[in-house]
Amino acid sequence: MDNRVYFKPRARLMLELGEQLIKNESVAILELIKNSYDAFARNVKVELSNLEDLNAGKIIILDDGIGMTKDIVVNHWMEPATLNKKKLVDAAGNSKIKYKDMVRIPLGEKGIGRFGAHKLGNHICLITRSENSSEVFLEVNWNEFDNEKYLDEIEVNVYEREPVVFTDNKTGTRLEITNIKHRWTRGEFRNVYKSIMALNSPFKSDDSFTVVVNTNHDDWKEKLMSFDELKNKALYKAHVSLENSEIIEYKYEFLPWDILGKVKHRVSNDYSSKPIINLNDKKKEERIDLGAFKIGKIDIELLIFDLDSYILNLGFPADKKLIKDYLKNNGGIAIYRDNVRLYEYGEEGNDWLGLGARRINNPAKTLSSRIVVGAVYLDRLASSDLIEKTSREGFIENAAYKCFVNAVLYAISCVENDRMLDKAELRKYYSGSFKNPVVDSVKTLITTVDKKVKEPLIKKEIISSLKNIEKEYLEISQVYLKSSSMGLNMSMVIHEIDKILIELQKTVVQEGGSEHIKGLVTDLTMRISSYSDLVKNTKMQSTTIQRLVDASINTFKYRIKAHDLQIINNIFNDETEIKCAGSLVRSAIMNILDNSIYWLEKYGTEKKKIYFSIEKSEPGYRMLIIADNGKGFAIPKDKLILPFVTKKDDGMGLGLHLASAIMETMGGKIAFPDNDDIDLPDDFASGAVVALIFREG
């Protein structure tokens, strides 16, 4: 007895696959356009007409590619999941496929791209012609598949004919889809239109493959700003190339508009030839090696915008809303393989890099998809370990993909560090007034937490922390902001705290209550408390610098031991008294020590050392010198005390800003002298040097 049985697919399976494998209209049309790319087409015309009418609606995709013979239509196009393209890719090995003067590698290899036609309409008409062949005509009515018949019982007629569409030795394929599945809305059309326009990278022109959209829905395209209109409005630009375990190219530019004459154009190449670091490794010891996988070289292009209303009003008041709308709908970082976009990276709602979560923790520094238009480029053959999902919704999240994401994130963090230097400079000269923004944000967030957070204990802790934030902020407002000692910098800090609250508001709506949110609120409470302490704890008492340093070293002794740090304390028998708020000065000293430890560890300095000494400053002042034996400051000295400026991978950039504020409240100041200007041991000739200058008394 023969016990073998075989699957007998019902005809309805084709309809189900079309619905399940293809997410939406954008994916469907992009898959069909990619088929044209694989067919070595130079030009593709997409017609979208009467899409609000089920009967009159029509979608046509016409290309000038190599076309198909009847044999290819029957034995490949009509065989779902055919391995034809995969065999071509495998046969190519490490080489791309050449056709006439074009060099390409097929984008599709799963044999399911044609299901895009099923997703769009119930009736398709395929006309195609290859070189020196007749024209082939095929017609499919998908309604005939919606029954109990088996797949091999549904007849589809394919026949050859004299050329009607592709005359005069022309080749190509024309796919007409009618009897559309549903009435399109303006939003659906705009999503599809934007996806088609973004298929080729905006940063790299490719004349060998052009897609044109013709439509009678011009009113649906209104107020869609083009990338060319937008690109000159970006204030920051970056190009980064990654290969193996290194940043092989790095160029960042600050591009202020002419009207922003108080700030200057700046170029940075600081991260060229630096290793790629895994930001998830808190000890900063793990390096990322892309060479462990078949990922190949990664090129990254970024345009970053400033959406502060005050800034935009200076540069482009008439276009402000258009710019914000464009970035809302088109902002993000897309992925391109062989200069053709992979859907749906960079689409709204697909935060593949987790930029939103990073921004909650540090909104002043980190990028969001709403302020950046970016592209990540991969070579199709070199990145074979990055495998596309069958659903065409991105890569399978395997080990290679995680390595790729972490490498891109590190590159972005380097750009963020550079951007913060110029953002701080920009805010220094151009900033609107921020009138008590925190109070309203706290109240809104408390209301949201009360509604969304279900766990009573977590709700109680979050609301208690938020009320403390409001209380601390009001104390700062009433006491400190009225003085002129901090000016714009303090306003910027409060503005950024408000941004954190706004991001938290969004997250509470999305997540409800979680330990993650509780931790973020607690962290914010500690940060604003640092400023509140600065206001409240300024009682001046007589002491000596020696006592302050000894107390700070004693408090830091466990960290000193843990990091095998050698302290060279050259302060002894110094009885000159100064007046200061001792707890705040010790806090400033420990902030400086913390910075030194971070950078000594970061650069792998052997025999880590920190040096303390006292020098006389101008008459009536004493200067505490704190130096390390590292590589010096990573950012220009004139920007060290600006808030939120840092090159730490996960830093807030508030340590030296707070230290400066502390010294100013006591009539002193912080300075960063050149190593040659003071008497230092040879070991400290190239390290970072900080001077805390106190008034004697």
Side-chain angles (χ1 to χ4, degrees):
M1 178 185 290
D2 188 352
N3 293 320
R4 292 175 296 178
V5 296
Y6 302 92
F7 285 108
K8 294 177 64 179
R10 300 280 185 180
R12 293 187 70 256
L13 178 64
M14 296 291 285
L15 305 180
E16 292 295 327
L17 288 174
E19 288 298 319
Q20 299 299 322
L21 287 177
I22 306 298
K23 179 180 179 180
N24 55 34
E25 290 78 7
S26 291
V27 176
I29 291 180
L30 291 179
E31 283 301 309
L32 296 172
I33 293 173
K34 287 179 182 179
N35 283 345
S36 297
Y37 177 92
D38 291 348
F40 290 93
R42 291 184 181 278
N43 302 285
V44 181
K45 294 180 181 178
V46 179
E47 179 183 330
L48 305 171
S49 58
N50 303 316
L51 296 177
E52 77 288 357
D53 187 326
L54 291 177
N55 295 318
K58 184 185 299 183
I59 299 168
I60 298 174
I61 299 171
L62 171 67
D63 70 47
D64 59 358
I66 58 177
M68 294 179 282
T69 62
K70 181 180 178 182
D71 178 69
I72 291 174
V73 170
V74 172
N75 294 307
H76 295 293
W77 196 89
M78 289 193 65
E79 288 188 9
T82 179
L83 294 176
N84 187 41
K85 287 185 183 178
K86 188 177 188 306
K87 290 176 181 178
L88 288 174
V89 174
D90 294 342
N94 293 322
S95 303
K96 296 188 178 183
I97 300 169
K98 295 182 179 179
Y99 176 76
K100 295 184 178 179
D101 60 342
M102 287 179 279
V103 180
R104 290 180 186 169
I105 195 74
L107 297 172
E109 57 181 58
K110 300 183 185 299
I112 54 90
R114 74 216 55 174
F115 283 110
H118 310 185
K119 183 79 175 182
L120 297 167
N122 293 312
H123 187 274
I124 68 169
C125 177
L126 176 74
I127 301 170
T128 184
R129 185 189 183 195
S130 64
E131 195 171 31
N132 300 319
S133 297
S134 300
E135 196 170 79
V136 180
F137 181 92
L138 174 147
E139 194 169 11
V140 179
N141 183 352
W142 295 113
N143 290 319
E144 295 177 2
F145 288 69
D146 191 12
N147 52 49
E148 292 297 315
K149 290 184 178 180
Y150 289 102
L151 190 56
D152 59 5
E153 294 181 277
I154 305 294
E155 291 184 357
V156 176
N157 293 317
V158 181
Y159 61 86
E160 293 179 306
R161 69 183 189 188
E162 287 297 313
V164 176
V165 175
F166 298 100
T167 57
D168 300 325
N169 295 318
K170 293 176 184 175
T171 63
T173 298
R174 182 184 188 274
L175 183 63
E176 180 178 310
I177 302 165
T178 53
N179 192 5
I180 59 176
K181 290 288 184 74
H182 71 279
R183 294 180 176 87
W184 284 37
T185 64
R186 180 176 182 271
E188 287 172 326
F189 173 87
R190 288 165 76 90
N191 286 336
V192 168
Y193 184 83
K194 288 182 294 186
S195 295
I196 296 172
M197 292 298 98
L199 186 63
N200 287 121
S201 166
F203 296 94
K204 296 182 179 180
S205 60
D206 184 357
D207 296 334
S208 69
F209 186 66
T210 303
V211 183
V212 175
V213 178
N214 296 320
T215 181
N216 63 348
H217 296 288
D218 289 333
D219 55 323
W220 285 359
K221 291 194 303 178
E222 285 181 1
K223 297 182 180 179
L224 280 176
M225 178 179 277
S226 71
F227 178 78
D228 286 339
E229 294 175 89
L230 184 81
K231 61 184 180 183
N232 292 328
K233 297 172 175 60
L235 282 173
Y236 317 91
K237 180 181 180 182
H239 165 78
V240 189
S241 293
L242 312 174
E243 193 165 20
N244 295 323
S245 59
E246 192 175 275
I247 299 175
I248 59 172
E249 294 176 36
Y250 179 89
K251 183 180 180 182
Y252 161 90
E253 284 188 87
F254 176 46
L255 304 162
W257 313 316
D258 290 342
I259 198 168
L260 304 175
K262 295 178 182 178
V263 289
K264 296 180 180 180
H265 171 260
R266 186 175 76 91
V267 177
S268 167
N269 305 105
D270 286 357
Y271 292 95
S272 291
S273 303
K274 296 290 175 64
I276 307 169
I277 305 298
N278 188 350
L279 295 176
N280 294 320
D281 176 31
K282 299 301 182 184
K283 295 182 179 179
K284 307 297 183 290
E285 294 176 354
E286 181 184 337
R287 297 188 177 185
I288 294 173
D289 183 10
L290 295 164
F293 303 95
K294 292 180 181 178
I295 295 175
K297 181 184 174 186
I298 302 171
D299 287 316
I300 303 167
E301 301 284 351
L302 301 174
L303 282 182
I304 305 165
F305 300 80
D306 195 315
L307 297 188
D308 184 276
S309 293
Y310 186 83
I311 301 294
L312 284 179
N313 278 331
L314 289 175
F316 306 98
D319 294 333
K320 185 170 67 173
K321 187 177 185 305
L322 286 176
I323 293 169
K324 289 185 175 182
D325 286 347
Y326 180 94
L327 291 169
K328 179 181 178 181
N329 295 309
N330 300 278
I333 299 175
I335 299 177
Y336 294 83
R337 254 181 167 174
D338 287 359
N339 207 37
V340 177
R341 185 179 175 191
L342 271 69
Y343 193 85
E344 58 179 11
Y345 295 114
E347 289 291 307
E348 188 176 6
N350 182 352
D351 189 8
W352 65 281
L353 288 166
L355 298 182
R358 292 172 74 245
R359 190 164 174 80
I360 291 170
N361 292 313
N362 196 346
K365 176 184 175 184
T366 53
L367 299 181
S368 77
S369 59
R370 293 291 178 89
I371 63 171
V372 63
V373 175
V376 177
Y377 298 98
L378 297 166
D379 180 272
R380 175 70 176 80
L381 290 176
S383 60
S384 58
D385 278 352
L386 296 175
I387 303 166
E388 289 185 56
K389 297 176 183 176
T390 302
S391 62
R392 311 306 243 179
E393 294 178 57
F395 291 123
I396 294 171
E397 295 178 8
N398 56 17
Y401 175 77
K402 292 175 182 176
C403 178
F404 162 68
V405 169
N406 287 334
V408 173
L409 274 174
Y410 182 70
I412 289 171
S413 76
C414 295
V415 175
E416 288 169 338
N417 289 338
D418 261 323
R419 169 179 165 265
M420 277 311 302
L421 294 174
D422 299 305
K423 180 182 173 184
E425 190 79 357
L426 191 65
R427 293 294 189 273
K428 181 178 177 182
Y429 295 106
Y430 303 99
S431 181
S433 58
F434 307 112
K435 298 179 181 179
N436 290 348
V438 172
V439 174
D440 289 340
S441 295
V442 167
K443 288 178 179 176
T444 302
L445 186 50
I446 286 174
T447 301
T448 304
V449 167
D450 192 49
K451 290 180 180 178
K452 295 288 184 181
V453 177
K454 304 301 181 186
E455 176 60 43
L457 185 59
I458 292 179
K459 179 188 292 190
K460 183 178 178 181
E461 290 185 38
I462 292 175
I463 291 177
S464 176
S465 295
L466 290 171
K467 288 181 177 178
N468 282 334
I469 289 171
E470 181 180 11
K471 177 175 174 288
E472 303 274 22
Y473 167 72
L474 289 172
E475 289 177 353
I476 294 172
S477 302
Q478 292 164 8
V479 180
Y480 202 69
L481 291 180
K482 292 177 182 177
S483 73
S484 60
S485 56
M486 285 286 284
L488 172 64
N489 286 352
M490 193 62 195
S491 292
M492 179 179 173
V493 170
I494 297 302
H495 179 55
E496 296 301 342
I497 287 170
D498 194 54
K499 282 188 177 180
I500 297 173
L501 290 166
I502 292 169
E503 294 292 337
L504 276 169
Q505 167 81 12
K506 296 176 185 175
T507 307
V508 171
V509 171
Q510 292 170 359
E511 293 185 17
S514 69
E515 290 292 333
H516 174 234
I517 292 169
K518 189 178 77 172
L520 291 173
V521 173
T522 302
D523 183 52
L524 178 58
T525 305
M526 292 173 63
R527 288 176 186 171
I528 199 166
S529 289
S530 298
Y531 285 93
S532 183
D533 288 343
L534 188 61
V535 174
K536 293 180 287 188
N537 299 329
T538 54
K539 186 177 179 181
M540 306 286 276
Q541 294 178 326
S542 293
T543 186
T544 67
I545 294 176
Q546 183 172 338
R547 287 182 213 145
L548 292 170
V549 171
D550 289 345
S552 300
I553 292 173
N554 184 58
T555 304
F556 235 60
K557 61 186 177 183
Y558 295 109
R559 289 203 68 198
I560 290 169
K561 183 178 180 180
H563 290 277
D564 195 21
L565 190 66
Q566 182 183 354
I567 299 294
I568 302 171
N569 189 352
N570 198 35
I571 302 172
F572 44 85
N573 299 326
D574 184 271
E575 297 299 328
T576 303
E577 290 200 340
I578 60 171
K579 277 195 172 181
C580 69
S583 62
L584 293 182
V585 172
R586 290 194 296 273
S587 174
I589 292 172
M590 287 187 286
N591 249 318
I592 295 165
L593 291 176
D594 188 67
N595 280 343
S596 286
I597 289 173
Y598 175 89
W599 290 109
L600 291 170
E601 292 280 358
K602 174 83 171 178
Y603 290 117
T605 305
E606 295 183 8
K607 298 180 179 179
K608 299 180 285 293
K609 301 176 184 179
I610 293 180
Y611 175 81
F612 292 89
S613 69
I614 294 177
E615 291 198 8
K616 288 186 178 181
S617 185
E618 59 261 39
Y621 289 87
R622 304 284 281 172
M623 185 162 61
L624 168 62
I625 299 296
I626 307 173
D628 64 40
N629 65 332
K631 296 185 178 181
F633 291 109
I635 58 180
K637 291 182 179 180
D638 64 335
K639 294 180 173 61
L640 285 170
I641 64 170
L642 293 173
F644 305 106
V645 172
T646 179
K647 285 211 170 180
K648 284 186 179 180
D649 294 329
D650 57 356
M652 277 291 291
L654 292 176
L656 289 176
H657 174 68
L658 275 169
S660 174
I662 288 168
M663 296 306 296
E664 286 186 15
T665 61
M666 297 179 299
K669 62 181 177 179
I670 193 170
F672 307 97
D674 291 336
N675 301 56
D676 296 336
D677 292 343
I678 53 178
D679 187 17
L680 288 171
D682 292 343
D683 288 354
F684 302 91
S686 60
V689 181
V690 180
L692 299 181
I693 302 171
F694 299 89
R695 190 189 295 269
E696 292 179 356

